[in-house]
Amino acid sequence: MLIQPIDIFVYAWLIVAALSAAYVAWDQFKGNPEPAVMKWGFVLVTLYMGPIGLLLYVMADKEPTPGTHEEFVKPLWKQGVGSTVHCVAGDATGILAAAVITALVGLPMWADLIVEYTAGFLFGLLIFQALFMRKMMGGTYLENVRRSFLPELISMNCMMAGMAPVMIYLMMGRDMRAMWPGEPLFWVVMSLGIVAGFAIAYPVNVWMVAHGMKHGLMTVREDSRSAKKSSNSSPGAGRDKEPTHGAMAGMDHSGKAMTKSTDTSAKISSRHKKSPQGDKSTQMRDGHSAGDTLAGHGMQSGVTRPQLVAVTVFTLLLLIAGMTVPSAFFNLTLTAEQVGGAIMPPGMIMTQETPATAMLDMAAVNPRDVTASYGLDRPGAQVLQPRLENGVKVFDLTTSVIRWQILPSVFVDAYAFNGQVPGPTLRFRQGDRVRINVTNHLPETTTVHWHGLILPNVMDGPAEVTQSPIKAGELYRYEFTALQSGTYFYHSHDHVDRQQSLGLYGALIVDPSDAAQEIAADHEYTLQLQEWLVRDGLTYPAMPMEGGMPNYFTINGRAYPSTDTITMKVGETLKVRFIGSSSGFIHPMHIHGGPFTVVARDGETLEPAARYKADTLNIGPGQRYDVIWPATKPGKWLIHCHISHHATNNNTEQQGGGGLMMVIEVTGDPTQ
Ligand SMILES: [Cu+2]
C-alpha cells in the first residue's frame, strides 16, 4: 500500500535490488572466474545494496571478455571493492538477522545497535572470513579466526560507524515504519545503512588490501579435464593446510594483482593431482593473498604495528561516534514494538526524552486501519433514532476508522462514531431512561464521556478513572436517566487528545420535559467545530503543540465551501447551538447581519434578565452556547470563526474563505 510518496522509491528500490541480485547470481555462477565465497559475496551485497551492488559488480569484478578477469581486477580500487564486498556480505548478513530478531524481541534501539554490531562482527569473522576463506587460504579454522580478527574488527567498526547513524536517523525520524521489519521501508533503510557502512569501510579496506592484510579480488578458473595435465594449472580451492606465502612474497604493495610464484603453484598443483577428486583443477590468482596479518604467519605485509594500532583506534572512535552521537537527538530507549510503524507529523519536536506514548499520541492515523470511505454526500451528525426496550431508549454507537471527505479535494482519516463526523446526534427528552451501547472497532481502546450530564459516576466515561477502557472488539453499556435539558455533547475520554481530535464526538440534545420551557425559533442548527491536520494524504490529530497545528477546520465535518447553507426568510429566527467539540482550540464565532441573543450556556437556559446580545462568542473546548439570531435583511450572511486563519483551507481561501465558515441565506423583501 502506497502511504507516502517515498513508498514509490521504496518499492522501486526493492524491485531493482531483487532484479540486480538475480542478475549478479546468474552471471556469477554462469562463469565469472572467481572463488565461490566472492560469488556469494557479490550476490549478497547486491541484494543488500541494490543498484549500487550491481554497479560495483559490473565496474569492478565482472569479467569483460573471457580470459581477462586477471587483468581487469588488477587496479587497487577494484581490489578494495572486492575486500569490502567480502567484509560487508558477512557483516551485513549478521546485522540484518540481528535487526529482525531485536525488533521482534522488542529490544530498545541502543541494545539493537550493540547486538547488531556483535552479530555482524561474529558472522563476518567466524563464517565469512575464517570459515569460507579457510578453503582457499589453508590453515586451521582457529588460525583463520586469529589472522582475520584485526582486519574484520577494523572493517566492522567502519561498517557500523556508517550504518548506525543512518539507521537511527531514518528509522527514528518521522517515518518510524522503518523500525518494523514487516514494512518494506525497513529493508530500504537497512540497505541505505549498508551503503553508508560500505562507503566508510571502503578506504580502510583499500589500505588493508594494499598492505596485504586482506585479500582483494581473485581469479579462479575451473578448467576442463585437460587442465589437470597442465603444469601451469595451479593452486586451488582444494588446499587446506599451510597457506603459501609465495604470493605475499611477490606482492606489490602498490596494489597490482599478483600471480602466485611458480614453485608455489607447482607445489599446490602437484598436491592437487594426488586428490582423488582431481578431475578438475582450479587456478587461482590472488589480487592479494588473503588472510595473514602482522599476527599471522610471519608474513611481510608492510604494515607497522603503530600503523595498525592507529588505524584500529581510529575506527573504534568512528564506531563509538556512530553509535553514541545520535543519542543526543533521538530516544534510543524506544523499541520497534512500541513505535514501529508510526509516522510522525512534520515539525513535531522529538528529542532523546520524547516517550513512545507522546509519539503514538501524535502519529498519523494508519491508512491501513480505514474500514470505509465516505464522500460529501454523507452528512455527519445525523439524528440517531433510538429503539425502545422496556421503556429504555437504546442507542448503538460503534467506533471505527473511516476516510471522510471534508472538501471536494480533501479526505481525512478519522476516528468516527457510526461512520460519521461528527458522530450521530443523540436526541432524547429530559426524564428519559437511555442506554447507549458502545462497540469499539478502533485499533486502540476508547471510552465515551457524556459531557455536562448528571449521571452515575460509573457511567461518566473517563478511562482508568471510572471504568476500564473498552478494548478493540468489546462493548460497553452506558445507561442513565436524563435529569437535565439543553445542549450537551459526548466524546471519547480515552487518549482524548488524540481521539477527540480525530473526530470522536457528537451532539447530545436533551429536550426539556416541559416543551414550553424550550426557547423556540423558526430554524435550528447545531454547529460542531473541529480542527484537522492533513499532510501528504495522512491525517494527524491536530493539537496545540509543535507539529500538531491544524491546517483544516470543519463545521459538522465539512470545511467551507462544503459546509451547509442555512436558508430562511426575513423575519424568521434561527437558533444556533454552538458546541465546542474541538479539544484544543478556541473559536470566536461571529455571525454577520446583526447581533444574536445568547439564551443558554453549557446546557443551562439563562434567566431572561441574564440573556444578552452579542455578535461574537468565544467557543472554547467543551463549551456550548445557544443563541437566537433574527434574520432582518435578505442576503448571504456568514457564520465564521474570527481567527482568520481558521477560515482558510490549508492556509488558502476558496470562494472567499474556508474552514469554519458557513452561509445563512436569507430571502425576503429586499427593501427591508
Ligand atoms: Cu477559530
Side-chain angles (χ1 to χ4, degrees), residues 185-243:
L185 185 61
F186 170 90
W187 296 97
V188 172
V189 167
M190 293 306 280
S191 270
L192 298 178
I194 292 169
V195 169
F198 190 103
I200 294 192
Y202 177 70
V204 78
N205 267 274
V206 169
W207 178 78
M208 287 194 287
V209 167
H211 294 82
M213 282 177 65
K214 286 191 78 178
H215 63 88
L217 288 165
M218 289 156 272
T219 303
V220 174
R221 298 213 176 269
E222 298 201 359
D223 297 340
S224 59
R225 287 178 211 99
S226 62
K228 149 170 102 167
K229 295 168 188 161
S230 164
S231 62
N232 285 334
S233 60
S234 67
R239 63 191 171 133
D240 56 358
K241 289 191 177 169
E242 188 69 9

Side-chain angles (χ1 to χ4, degrees), residues 586-588 641 643 646 660:
I586 298 170
H587 300 291
C641 176
I643 293 175
H646 295 178
L660 301 185

Side-chain angles (χ1 to χ4, degrees), residues 1-12 177 184 343 367-368 403 536-538:
M1 184 178 190
L2 296 177
I3 289 176
Q4 288 277 271
I6 195 176
D7 293 351
I8 296 167
F9 167 72
V10 166
Y11 285 105
R177 289 180 300 164
I343 303 178
R368 293 172 182 138
R403 187 149 297 155
D536 293 330
L538 293 178

Side-chain angles (χ1 to χ4, degrees), residues 246-265:
M248 296 309 292
M251 187 162 157
D252 176 346
H253 287 193
S254 70
K256 287 179 184 159
M258 301 299 296
T259 304
K260 289 188 183 299
S261 62
T262 310
D263 59 337
T264 305
S265 302

